[in-house]
Amino acid sequence: MSPASTGASTSVDAARPAASPSPASPDSSDSDSRLSPGGPGYRRMSFALFLAGVATFALLYSTQALLPLISGEFGVAASEASWTVAAATGGLALFVLPMSALSERYGRRTVMTASLAVAVTVGMLVPFAPSIGALVVLRGVQGAALAGLPASATAYLAEEVRPKALVTAIGLFVAGNSVGGMSGRVITGWVAQEWGWRVSVGVIGALAVACAVAFRLLLPAPKHFTAGSLRPRVLLGTVRDHLSDPLLRRLYAIGALFMTVFGGVYTVIGYRLTAEPFGLPQGIVGSIFLVYLVGTVSASTAGRLVGRLGRRGALYLAGGTTAAGLLLSLTAALPLVLLGLVLITAGFFAGHAVASSAVSKTATHGRAQASALYQSAYYIGSSAGSTVGALAFHADGWTGTVAVGLLAVLGVVTITALGTRAARVAARRRPVGAH
Protein backbone atom coordinates (compact mmCIF):
# COMPACT_ATOMS: atom_id res chain seq x y z
CA MET A 1 0.00 0.00 0.00
CA SER A 2 1.56 3.26 -1.04
CA PRO A 3 1.89 6.23 1.27
CA ALA A 4 -1.25 8.30 1.24
CA SER A 5 -0.69 11.97 1.79
CA THR A 6 -2.61 15.18 1.61
CA GLY A 7 -1.30 18.26 -0.08
CA ALA A 8 0.17 19.53 3.17
CA SER A 9 1.44 16.25 4.56
CA THR A 10 5.11 16.79 3.92
CA SER A 11 5.73 17.44 7.58
CA VAL A 12 7.73 14.35 8.23
CA ASP A 13 7.69 12.89 4.77
CA ALA A 14 10.88 11.89 3.12
CA ALA A 15 10.94 12.93 -0.49
CA ARG A 16 9.43 10.28 -2.65
CA PRO A 17 7.55 10.46 -5.94
CA ALA A 18 3.83 10.78 -5.45
CA ALA A 19 1.99 7.92 -7.04
CA SER A 20 -0.99 8.88 -9.12
CA PRO A 21 -4.16 7.08 -8.10
CA SER A 22 -5.11 4.40 -10.53
CA PRO A 23 -8.66 4.25 -11.78
CA ALA A 24 -8.56 0.57 -10.97
CA SER A 25 -7.36 1.16 -7.42
CA PRO A 26 -9.12 -1.16 -4.98
CA ASP A 27 -9.90 1.77 -2.76
CA SER A 28 -12.02 3.32 -5.47
CA SER A 29 -13.62 0.10 -6.61
CA ASP A 30 -16.97 -1.14 -5.39
CA SER A 31 -15.57 -4.68 -5.66
CA ASP A 32 -13.01 -4.05 -2.92
CA SER A 33 -13.82 -6.57 -0.18
CA ARG A 34 -11.99 -4.65 2.53
CA LEU A 35 -14.02 -3.11 5.34
CA SER A 36 -15.26 0.47 5.20
CA PRO A 37 -17.52 2.61 7.40
CA GLY A 38 -21.12 1.56 6.96
CA GLY A 39 -20.12 -1.74 5.39
CA PRO A 40 -20.75 -5.21 6.85
CA GLY A 41 -18.38 -6.18 9.63
CA TYR A 42 -16.87 -2.71 10.10
CA ARG A 43 -18.72 -1.96 13.33
CA ARG A 44 -17.95 -5.38 14.80
CA MET A 45 -14.30 -4.97 13.88
CA SER A 46 -14.14 -1.45 15.31
CA PHE A 47 -15.80 -2.45 18.57
CA ALA A 48 -13.64 -5.57 18.96
CA LEU A 49 -10.41 -3.61 18.53
CA PHE A 50 -11.78 -0.85 20.74
CA LEU A 51 -12.22 -3.45 23.50
CA ALA A 52 -8.72 -4.79 22.85
CA GLY A 53 -7.41 -1.24 23.30
CA VAL A 54 -9.38 -0.89 26.54
CA ALA A 55 -7.93 -4.12 27.94
CA THR A 56 -4.39 -3.28 26.83
CA PHE A 57 -4.18 0.15 28.42
CA ALA A 58 -6.19 -0.79 31.52
CA LEU A 59 -3.71 -3.60 32.26
CA LEU A 60 -0.59 -1.81 31.09
CA TYR A 61 -1.09 1.19 33.35
CA SER A 62 -3.08 -0.45 36.15
CA THR A 63 -0.56 0.55 38.83
CA GLN A 64 0.10 4.11 37.65
CA ALA A 65 -2.64 5.85 39.64
CA LEU A 66 -1.76 3.69 42.67
CA LEU A 67 1.92 4.54 42.94
CA PRO A 68 1.58 6.58 46.17
CA LEU A 69 -0.17 3.61 47.83
CA ILE A 70 2.42 1.15 46.52
CA SER A 71 5.19 3.41 47.77
CA GLY A 72 3.54 3.49 51.18
CA GLU A 73 3.05 -0.28 51.51
CA PHE A 74 6.53 -1.28 50.37
CA GLY A 75 8.33 1.76 51.77
CA VAL A 76 9.90 2.86 48.48
CA ALA A 77 10.31 6.23 46.76
CA ALA A 78 8.43 7.38 43.66
CA SER A 79 11.40 6.55 41.43
CA GLU A 80 11.33 2.91 42.64
CA ALA A 81 7.57 2.49 42.54
CA SER A 82 7.54 3.90 38.99
CA TRP A 83 9.26 0.71 37.85
CA THR A 84 5.92 -1.09 38.16
CA VAL A 85 4.90 1.04 35.16
CA ALA A 86 8.27 1.16 33.40
CA ALA A 87 8.69 -2.65 33.59
CA ALA A 88 5.36 -3.22 31.85
CA THR A 89 5.97 -0.72 29.08
CA GLY A 90 9.59 -1.84 28.77
CA GLY A 91 8.52 -5.47 28.42
CA LEU A 92 6.12 -4.47 25.68
CA ALA A 93 8.82 -2.46 23.90
CA LEU A 94 11.26 -5.39 23.95
CA PHE A 95 8.83 -8.04 22.76
CA VAL A 96 6.67 -6.16 20.28
CA LEU A 97 8.97 -6.95 17.35
CA PRO A 98 9.20 -10.74 18.00
CA MET A 99 5.45 -10.85 18.55
CA SER A 100 4.86 -9.01 15.28
CA ALA A 101 6.95 -11.65 13.52
CA LEU A 102 4.70 -14.34 15.00
CA SER A 103 1.68 -12.45 13.70
CA GLU A 104 3.17 -12.45 10.20
CA ARG A 105 3.37 -16.24 10.37
CA TYR A 106 0.35 -17.29 12.43
CA GLY A 107 -2.08 -14.43 11.82
CA ARG A 108 -3.03 -11.19 13.51
CA ARG A 109 -6.15 -12.45 15.23
CA THR A 110 -4.44 -15.55 16.62
CA VAL A 111 -1.55 -13.59 18.13
CA MET A 112 -3.81 -10.88 19.56
CA THR A 113 -6.01 -13.52 21.20
CA ALA A 114 -3.06 -15.41 22.70
CA SER A 115 -1.49 -12.18 23.96
CA LEU A 116 -4.64 -11.09 25.73
CA ALA A 117 -5.10 -14.55 27.25
CA VAL A 118 -1.62 -14.53 28.82
CA ALA A 119 -1.86 -10.89 29.92
CA VAL A 120 -5.18 -11.31 31.73
CA THR A 121 -3.91 -14.49 33.42
CA VAL A 122 -0.89 -12.61 34.78
CA GLY A 123 -3.23 -9.77 35.71
CA MET A 124 -5.04 -12.04 38.13
CA LEU A 125 -1.69 -12.85 39.84
CA VAL A 126 -0.53 -9.24 40.26
CA PRO A 127 -2.69 -8.57 43.39
CA PHE A 128 -0.80 -11.29 45.26
CA ALA A 129 2.73 -9.91 44.68
CA PRO A 130 4.61 -10.27 48.02
CA SER A 131 7.24 -7.58 47.36
CA ILE A 132 8.03 -4.65 45.10
CA GLY A 133 10.52 -6.84 43.23
CA ALA A 134 7.93 -9.54 42.55
CA LEU A 135 5.43 -6.90 41.48
CA VAL A 136 7.91 -5.41 39.00
CA VAL A 137 8.66 -8.87 37.55
CA LEU A 138 4.98 -9.72 37.10
CA ARG A 139 4.36 -6.38 35.46
CA GLY A 140 7.26 -6.96 33.09
CA VAL A 141 5.82 -10.33 32.06
CA GLN A 142 2.41 -8.74 31.58
CA GLY A 143 3.85 -6.04 29.34
CA ALA A 144 5.70 -8.64 27.26
CA ALA A 145 2.44 -10.55 26.77
CA LEU A 146 0.59 -7.40 25.72
CA ALA A 147 3.23 -6.82 23.03
CA GLY A 148 1.18 -8.95 20.65
CA LEU A 149 -1.64 -6.42 20.55
CA PRO A 150 -0.54 -3.00 19.23
CA ALA A 151 1.49 -3.94 16.15
CA SER A 152 -0.82 -6.80 15.19
CA ALA A 153 -3.88 -4.58 15.52
CA THR A 154 -2.55 -1.85 13.25
CA ALA A 155 -1.32 -4.45 10.73
CA TYR A 156 -4.77 -6.10 10.80
CA LEU A 157 -6.40 -2.74 10.08
CA ALA A 158 -3.95 -1.94 7.26
CA GLU A 159 -4.88 -5.24 5.57
CA GLU A 160 -8.60 -5.42 6.28
CA VAL A 161 -9.73 -1.76 6.05
CA ARG A 162 -9.86 0.42 2.93
CA PRO A 163 -7.01 2.97 2.86
CA LYS A 164 -9.24 6.03 3.01
CA ALA A 165 -10.77 4.77 6.26
CA LEU A 166 -7.48 3.69 7.84
CA VAL A 167 -6.72 6.83 9.90
CA THR A 168 -10.24 6.80 11.34
CA ALA A 169 -10.07 3.06 12.12
CA ILE A 170 -6.71 3.37 13.87
CA GLY A 171 -8.01 6.44 15.66
CA LEU A 172 -10.84 4.33 17.10
CA PHE A 173 -8.32 1.73 18.30
CA VAL A 174 -6.27 4.48 19.93
CA ALA A 175 -9.50 5.83 21.43
CA GLY A 176 -9.96 2.41 23.04
CA ASN A 177 -6.50 2.84 24.52
CA SER A 178 -7.57 6.14 26.05
CA VAL A 179 -10.78 4.68 27.47
CA GLY A 180 -8.82 1.77 28.94
CA GLY A 181 -6.27 4.09 30.48
CA MET A 182 -8.99 6.31 31.87
CA SER A 183 -11.32 3.62 33.22
CA GLY A 184 -8.44 1.67 34.72
CA ARG A 185 -7.17 4.65 36.65
CA VAL A 186 -10.59 5.89 37.76
CA ILE A 187 -11.69 2.44 38.92
CA THR A 188 -8.43 1.70 40.71
CA GLY A 189 -8.51 5.08 42.44
CA TRP A 190 -11.93 4.63 44.01
CA VAL A 191 -11.57 0.92 44.75
CA ALA A 192 -8.14 1.45 46.31
CA GLN A 193 -9.50 4.21 48.55
CA GLU A 194 -11.88 1.68 50.12
CA TRP A 195 -10.11 -1.66 49.83
CA GLY A 196 -6.48 -0.99 48.91
CA TRP A 197 -4.43 -1.24 45.74
CA ARG A 198 -4.40 -5.05 45.60
CA VAL A 199 -8.17 -5.33 45.27
CA SER A 200 -8.21 -2.52 42.74
CA VAL A 201 -5.75 -4.20 40.34
CA GLY A 202 -7.75 -7.41 40.74
CA VAL A 203 -10.87 -5.59 39.56
CA ILE A 204 -8.96 -4.33 36.51
CA GLY A 205 -7.87 -7.89 35.77
CA ALA A 206 -11.50 -9.04 35.79
CA LEU A 207 -12.50 -6.16 33.48
CA ALA A 208 -9.73 -7.15 31.07
CA VAL A 209 -10.95 -10.77 31.04
CA ALA A 210 -14.42 -9.61 29.94
CA CYS A 211 -12.92 -7.40 27.21
CA ALA A 212 -10.70 -10.25 25.97
CA VAL A 213 -13.62 -12.67 25.63
CA ALA A 214 -15.77 -10.12 23.80
CA PHE A 215 -12.87 -9.21 21.51
CA ARG A 216 -12.41 -12.80 20.38
CA LEU A 217 -16.12 -13.30 19.76
CA LEU A 218 -16.55 -10.08 17.77
CA LEU A 219 -13.42 -9.68 15.62
CA PRO A 220 -14.09 -10.79 12.02
CA ALA A 221 -11.81 -13.45 10.58
CA PRO A 222 -9.13 -11.86 8.39
CA LYS A 223 -9.66 -12.14 4.64
CA HIS A 224 -6.54 -10.42 3.31
CA PHE A 225 -3.79 -11.90 5.48
CA THR A 226 -0.93 -13.71 3.74
CA ALA A 227 1.38 -15.74 5.97
CA GLY A 228 5.00 -14.66 5.96
CA SER A 229 8.26 -16.28 7.00
CA LEU A 230 9.69 -16.70 10.49
CA ARG A 231 13.25 -16.95 9.19
CA PRO A 232 15.47 -14.53 11.16
CA ARG A 233 17.21 -13.37 7.97
CA VAL A 234 13.88 -12.36 6.44
CA LEU A 235 12.81 -10.58 9.63
CA LEU A 236 16.10 -8.71 9.96
CA GLY A 237 15.95 -7.71 6.31
CA THR A 238 12.46 -6.29 6.77
CA VAL A 239 13.52 -4.40 9.90
CA ARG A 240 16.57 -3.03 8.07
CA ASP A 241 14.34 -1.83 5.23
CA HIS A 242 12.06 0.03 7.63
CA LEU A 243 14.89 1.60 9.61
CA SER A 244 16.53 2.81 6.39
CA ASP A 245 13.39 4.79 5.50
CA PRO A 246 13.86 8.41 6.73
CA LEU A 247 10.11 8.98 7.05
CA LEU A 248 9.61 5.91 9.22
CA ARG A 249 12.57 6.85 11.41
CA ARG A 250 11.07 10.27 12.02
CA LEU A 251 7.67 8.83 12.82
CA TYR A 252 9.24 6.41 15.31
CA ALA A 253 11.05 9.27 17.04
CA ILE A 254 7.89 11.38 17.16
CA GLY A 255 5.91 8.56 18.76
CA ALA A 256 8.64 8.01 21.38
CA LEU A 257 8.84 11.71 22.25
CA PHE A 258 5.07 12.17 22.59
CA MET A 259 4.95 9.15 24.89
CA THR A 260 7.87 10.47 26.95
CA VAL A 261 5.71 13.47 27.84
CA PHE A 262 2.65 11.38 28.60
CA GLY A 263 4.47 8.71 30.61
CA GLY A 264 6.24 11.28 32.76
CA VAL A 265 3.17 13.39 33.48
CA TYR A 266 0.81 10.58 34.40
CA THR A 267 3.36 8.64 36.45
CA VAL A 268 4.04 11.63 38.71
CA ILE A 269 0.70 13.47 38.77
CA GLY A 270 -0.68 11.28 41.57
CA TYR A 271 2.16 12.26 43.87
CA ARG A 272 1.62 15.93 43.12
CA LEU A 273 -2.13 15.93 43.67
CA THR A 274 -2.06 13.90 46.90
CA ALA A 275 0.55 16.27 48.39
CA GLU A 276 0.13 19.90 49.43
CA PRO A 277 -1.17 22.37 48.34
CA PHE A 278 -3.84 20.06 46.87
CA GLY A 279 -4.01 17.13 49.32
CA LEU A 280 -6.61 15.23 47.29
CA PRO A 281 -7.81 11.75 48.41
CA GLN A 282 -6.94 8.72 46.26
CA GLY A 283 -10.43 8.37 44.81
CA ILE A 284 -10.48 11.96 43.59
CA VAL A 285 -6.99 11.60 42.15
CA GLY A 286 -8.17 8.52 40.23
CA SER A 287 -11.11 10.50 38.88
CA ILE A 288 -8.70 13.08 37.45
CA PHE A 289 -8.02 10.52 34.73
CA LEU A 290 -11.50 11.18 33.31
CA VAL A 291 -9.64 13.69 31.17
CA TYR A 292 -8.74 10.64 29.05
CA LEU A 293 -12.16 11.15 27.45
CA VAL A 294 -10.60 14.14 25.72
CA GLY A 295 -8.00 11.77 24.28
CA THR A 296 -10.77 9.51 23.02
CA VAL A 297 -12.24 12.40 21.04
CA SER A 298 -8.93 13.78 19.75
CA ALA A 299 -7.72 10.34 18.62
CA SER A 300 -10.95 9.40 16.86
CA THR A 301 -11.01 12.73 14.97
CA ALA A 302 -7.34 12.55 13.90
CA GLY A 303 -8.37 11.61 10.36
CA ARG A 304 -10.36 14.82 9.90
CA LEU A 305 -7.52 16.80 11.48
CA VAL A 306 -5.03 15.46 8.92
CA GLY A 307 -7.52 16.08 6.12
CA ARG A 308 -7.84 19.72 7.12
CA LEU A 309 -4.29 20.61 8.19
CA GLY A 310 -2.14 17.91 6.63
CA ARG A 311 0.21 15.70 8.62
CA ARG A 312 2.60 18.59 9.31
CA GLY A 313 -0.12 20.88 10.61
CA ALA A 314 -1.67 18.12 12.71
CA LEU A 315 1.66 17.31 14.38
CA TYR A 316 2.45 20.97 15.04
CA LEU A 317 -1.00 21.47 16.56
CA ALA A 318 -0.64 18.36 18.71
CA GLY A 319 2.80 19.45 19.93
CA GLY A 320 1.68 23.01 20.62
CA THR A 321 -1.38 21.82 22.54
CA THR A 322 0.76 19.49 24.65
CA ALA A 323 3.29 22.25 25.44
CA ALA A 324 0.52 24.67 26.44
CA GLY A 325 -0.87 22.04 28.80
CA LEU A 326 2.52 21.48 30.40
CA LEU A 327 2.97 25.18 31.07
CA LEU A 328 -0.54 25.56 32.52
CA SER A 329 0.06 22.63 34.88
CA LEU A 330 2.84 24.57 36.62
CA THR A 331 0.30 26.78 38.42
CA ALA A 332 -0.90 26.13 41.98
CA ALA A 333 -4.57 26.55 40.98
CA LEU A 334 -6.28 23.17 40.66
CA PRO A 335 -8.65 24.23 37.80
CA LEU A 336 -5.67 25.34 35.71
CA VAL A 337 -3.76 22.15 36.50
CA LEU A 338 -6.77 20.14 35.32
CA LEU A 339 -7.03 22.24 32.15
CA GLY A 340 -3.35 21.58 31.58
CA LEU A 341 -3.94 17.84 31.83
CA VAL A 342 -6.81 18.13 29.34
CA LEU A 343 -4.54 19.85 26.81
CA ILE A 344 -1.66 17.41 27.38
CA THR A 345 -4.01 14.47 26.87
CA ALA A 346 -5.67 15.90 23.75
CA GLY A 347 -2.34 16.78 22.16
CA PHE A 348 -0.74 13.45 22.95
CA PHE A 349 -3.52 11.25 21.60
CA ALA A 350 -3.92 13.33 18.45
CA GLY A 351 -0.17 13.20 17.76
CA HIS A 352 -0.02 9.47 18.44
CA ALA A 353 -2.95 8.70 16.12
CA VAL A 354 -1.45 10.80 13.32
CA ALA A 355 2.02 9.25 13.61
CA SER A 356 0.89 5.63 14.01
CA SER A 357 -1.51 5.81 11.05
CA ALA A 358 1.26 7.36 8.93
CA VAL A 359 3.46 4.34 9.70
CA SER A 360 0.76 1.93 8.51
CA LYS A 361 0.30 3.92 5.29
CA THR A 362 4.01 4.26 4.59
CA ALA A 363 5.04 0.61 4.94
CA THR A 364 4.59 -1.25 1.65
CA HIS A 365 5.63 -4.62 3.10
CA GLY A 366 6.17 -6.11 6.55
CA ARG A 367 3.47 -3.89 8.00
CA ALA A 368 3.47 -5.72 11.32
CA GLN A 369 7.21 -5.11 11.67
CA ALA A 370 6.81 -1.45 10.71
CA SER A 371 4.09 -1.02 13.31
CA ALA A 372 6.10 -3.06 15.82
CA LEU A 373 9.08 -0.74 15.48
CA TYR A 374 6.78 2.23 16.07
CA GLN A 375 5.25 0.57 19.11
CA SER A 376 8.68 -0.36 20.43
CA ALA A 377 9.86 3.26 20.15
CA TYR A 378 6.55 4.45 21.60
CA TYR A 379 6.80 2.28 24.71
CA ILE A 380 10.51 2.93 25.14
CA GLY A 381 9.38 6.55 25.33
CA SER A 382 6.81 5.57 27.96
CA SER A 383 9.41 3.73 30.07
CA ALA A 384 11.85 6.61 29.72
CA GLY A 385 9.18 9.16 30.55
CA SER A 386 8.03 7.22 33.63
CA THR A 387 11.56 6.80 34.96
CA VAL A 388 13.08 10.16 34.01
CA GLY A 389 9.90 12.02 34.93
CA ALA A 390 9.93 10.44 38.41
CA LEU A 391 13.64 11.19 38.86
CA ALA A 392 13.08 14.81 37.78
CA PHE A 393 10.17 15.07 40.23
CA HIS A 394 12.38 13.74 43.03
CA ALA A 395 15.10 16.26 42.14
CA ASP A 396 13.08 19.40 41.35
CA GLY A 397 9.41 18.67 41.95
CA TRP A 398 6.75 19.11 39.29
CA THR A 399 8.84 21.77 37.55
CA GLY A 400 11.45 19.12 36.75
CA THR A 401 8.85 16.79 35.25
CA VAL A 402 7.43 19.60 33.11
CA ALA A 403 10.93 20.50 31.89
CA VAL A 404 11.42 16.92 30.68
CA GLY A 405 8.09 17.11 28.85
CA LEU A 406 8.86 20.42 27.18
CA LEU A 407 12.19 19.09 25.90
CA ALA A 408 10.36 16.13 24.36
CA VAL A 409 7.80 18.42 22.65
CA LEU A 410 10.66 20.52 21.29
CA GLY A 411 12.05 17.32 19.81
CA VAL A 412 8.72 16.60 18.07
CA VAL A 413 8.59 20.08 16.53
CA THR A 414 12.24 19.93 15.45
CA ILE A 415 11.89 16.53 13.78
CA THR A 416 8.73 17.63 11.98
CA ALA A 417 10.44 20.79 10.70
CA LEU A 418 13.53 18.86 9.56
CA GLY A 419 11.31 16.40 7.69
CA THR A 420 9.56 19.24 5.89
CA ARG A 421 12.87 20.83 4.91
CA ALA A 422 14.26 17.52 3.61
CA ALA A 423 11.14 16.95 1.52
CA ARG A 424 11.34 20.42 -0.02
CA VAL A 425 15.03 20.00 -0.89
CA ALA A 426 14.32 16.65 -2.51
CA ALA A 427 11.37 18.10 -4.43
CA ARG A 428 13.60 20.81 -5.91
CA ARG A 429 16.05 18.14 -7.07
CA ARG A 430 13.36 16.01 -8.67
CA PRO A 431 13.54 16.07 -12.50
CA VAL A 432 10.86 18.11 -14.24
CA GLY A 433 7.93 15.88 -15.13
CA ALA A 434 8.71 13.31 -12.45
CA HIS A 435 5.51 14.00 -10.55
Side-chain angles (χ1 to χ4, degrees):
M1 185 168 57
S2 63
S5 60
T6 64
S9 67
T10 58
S11 56
V12 287
D13 291 24
R16 59 184 71 195
S20 300
S22 167
S25 170
D27 189 45
S28 62
S29 172
D30 292 336
S31 64
D32 188 356
S33 61
R34 285 176 291 183
L35 301 173
S36 61
Y42 183 86
R43 288 185 178 178
R44 284 182 55 204
M45 178 274 298
S46 297
F47 188 51
L49 289 176
F50 179 87
L51 291 176
V54 169
T56 299
F57 255 49
L59 289 172
L60 195 62
Y61 293 99
S62 59
T63 63
Q64 194 171 58
L66 306 173
L67 292 180
L69 296 179
I70 293 173
S71 288
E73 177 170 332
F74 293 119
V76 297
S79 56
E80 295 174 81
S82 69
W83 278 103
T84 64
V85 179
T89 54
L92 193 154
L94 289 174
F95 281 85
V96 68
L97 187 58
M99 294 294 276
S100 74
L102 291 178
S103 83
E104 291 281 7
R105 178 66 182 86
Y106 298 107
R108 321 301 186 194
R109 189 170 69 162
T110 299
V111 169
M112 287 189 285
T113 301
S115 293
L116 276 178
V118 174
V120 298
T121 300
V122 176
M124 301 310 292
L125 299 175
V126 167
F128 304 100
S131 65
I132 187 67
L135 180 58
V136 169
V137 169
L138 284 172
R139 295 282 291 145
V141 173
Q142 193 171 49
L146 288 170
L149 262 296
S152 297
T154 51
Y156 175 94
L157 289 169
E159 293 164 351
E160 304 299 326
V161 175
R162 295 189 185 187
K164 288 183 179 179
L166 183 59
V167 176
T168 299
I170 290 181
L172 289 172
F173 174 64
V174 174
N177 293 346
S178 71
V179 169
M182 176 202 69
S183 60
R185 290 165 171 92
V186 173
I187 292 169
T188 55
W190 284 107
V191 173
Q193 183 170 303
E194 297 295 327
W195 295 287
W197 71 267
R198 294 180 184 273
V199 173
S200 66
V201 294
V203 169
I204 292 302
L207 171 67
V209 169
C211 288
V213 171
F215 160 80
R216 185 61 181 83
L217 293 175
L218 290 172
L219 189 69
K223 296 180 179 180
H224 302 278
F225 169 73
T226 301
S229 172
L230 273 178
R231 288 179 297 171
R233 181 178 298 178
V234 174
L235 174 61
L236 291 175
T238 301
V239 170
R240 185 169 56 250
D241 288 345
H242 294 327
L243 291 179
S244 65
D245 187 318
L247 170 55
L248 288 176
R249 289 201 304 268
R250 286 192 286 271
L251 291 170
Y252 297 153
I254 286 170
L257 289 168
F258 266 123
M259 195 52 164
T260 298
V261 181
F262 200 68
V265 166
Y266 278 101
T267 293
V268 172
I269 192 64
Y271 290 97
R272 188 184 186 209
L273 295 180
T274 54
E276 295 301 329
F278 306 111
L280 299 180
Q282 187 65 46
I284 297 297
V285 171
S287 296
I288 296 300
F289 292 94
L290 285 168
V291 298
Y292 264 51
L293 287 172
V294 176
T296 303
V297 174
S298 67
S300 60
T301 59
R304 291 200 296 272
L305 189 64
V306 172
R308 178 173 296 182
L309 302 176
R311 194 180 300 153
R312 175 184 61 186
L315 288 173
Y316 281 143
L317 179 60
T321 302
T322 304
L326 287 167
L327 294 172
L328 267 180
S329 72
L330 288 169
T331 68
L334 185 59
L336 291 179
V337 172
L338 297 181
L339 177 58
L341 290 177
V342 167
L343 295 177
I344 292 166
T345 303
F348 161 73
F349 276 105
H352 169 41
V354 171
S356 61
S357 62
V359 169
S360 296
K361 287 183 174 183
T362 300
T364 56
H365 69 288
R367 291 189 182 94
Q369 280 74 48
S371 296
L373 288 168
Y374 176 84
Q375 296 294 335
S376 182
Y378 175 80
Y379 286 108
I380 286 172
S382 177
S383 293
S386 298
T387 304
V388 177
L391 289 171
F393 182 76
H394 180 74
D396 196 29
W398 183 250
T399 301
T401 303
V402 168
V404 171
L406 289 173
L407 285 173
V409 172
L410 178 61
V412 169
V413 173
T414 301
I415 290 170
T416 303
L418 290 175
T420 302
R421 181 176 180 275
R424 287 174 177 170
V425 170
R428 286 198 298 268
R429 293 175 178 173
R430 191 178 304 156
V432 176
H435 295 288

